Amino acid sequence: MQLVFASNNKNKIKEIQQLIPQTIQILSLEDIGCFIDIPETADTIEGNAILKADYVTQNYGYPCFADDSGLEIDALNGEPGVYSARYAGSHRSDNDNIDRVLQKLQHETNRKANFKTVICLNQDGKQYLFTGIVNGTILKEKIGDQGFGYDPIFKAEGFSETFAQLSLEKKAEISHRGIAVRQLIEFLSSK
Ligand code: ITT
């Protein structure tokens, strides 16, 4: 089965390829000749996942899934959420985004946060949503150099290491994206 994954983020493509069974051939946006950065203009994580999957299905006719993720911090009323990639501005530097979070939480004792991923699958004229959530806390400083985004300041519940200290395989086992992708795989395998 061929399925387009509507992303240009090489880290995410690598993580997802790790999880998808070989019977499903994943095509990237480049593989189908789509070279535009699909605008993510919705104001929710769900909305952006739907927008990206719909863009591919409507313009290229492929079955497609898209994901959107974000970090939701309790003390910041769910920020940065849908704005996670550009929290410090549109230049999207991971370090700048982390610094902004740490600065906003400087005097905050409630460090609870969660990563959330929503996957939207368009297949056979139908749309399906899968959600993965991992709860944890925001540290006061960066630790680790693996992964991407906010990984160096996020520690999942029950773990002593940050996401940036975990191997790709370990992170995929427990991450928001891993949880959502496994739901997607289970669904695809049951058809
Ligand atoms: P797309 O091209 O697929 O949209 P993206 O970088 O925008 O890639 P997401 O929409 O999934 O990726 O996530 C938005 C931001 O949320 C991302 O840029 C990171 O800052 C943060 N984020 C998402 N998943 C993360 C993870 O597993 N670890 C750390 N930060 C993450």
Side-chain angles (χ1 to χ4, degrees), residues 30-65:
E30 277 184 17
D31 290 336
I32 60 164
C34 175
F35 296 102
I36 76 149
D37 204 6
I38 303 168
E40 296 181 33
T41 50
D43 58 7
T44 59
I45 292 173
E46 289 80 1
N48 275 338
I50 292 170
L51 213 133
K52 287 189 274 187
D54 282 354
Y55 183 89
V56 171
T57 303
Q58 282 160 15
N59 290 282
Y60 294 86
Y62 278 97
C64 173
F65 69 93

Side-chain angles (χ1 to χ4, degrees), residues 7 54 64 66 80 95 98 100-101 112 116 122 126 128 160 164 172 183 187:
S7 175
D54 282 354
C64 173
N95 251 320
I98 287 178
R100 175 143 198 239
V101 164
K112 283 190 190 160
K116 174 173 164 182
N122 286 339
K126 293 202 187 93
Y128 309 90
S160 55
Q183 287 176 34
F187 176 81

Side-chain angles (χ1 to χ4, degrees), residues 5-10 12-13 15 29 37-38 40 45 48 52 66-71 80-87 92-94 97-98 115-118 134 147-152 154 163-164 171 175-177:
F5 175 34
S7 175
N8 284 314
N9 181 322
K10 291 202 164 52
K12 282 167 49 176
I13 293 173
E15 283 190 9
L29 288 176
D37 204 6
I38 303 168
E40 296 181 33
I45 292 173
N48 275 338
K52 287 189 274 187
D67 80 331
D68 198 44
S69 307
L71 175 67
V82 72
Y83 305 108
S84 292
R86 50 184 190 280
Y87 197 43
R92 295 170 60 127
S93 145
D94 285 346
N97 289 335
I98 287 178
F115 271 122
K116 174 173 164 182
T117 292
V118 176
V134 58
F148 69 103
Y150 300 89
D151 281 347
F154 183 83
F163 265 11
K171 182 182 165 191
S175 77
H176 48 311
R177 190 168 304 102

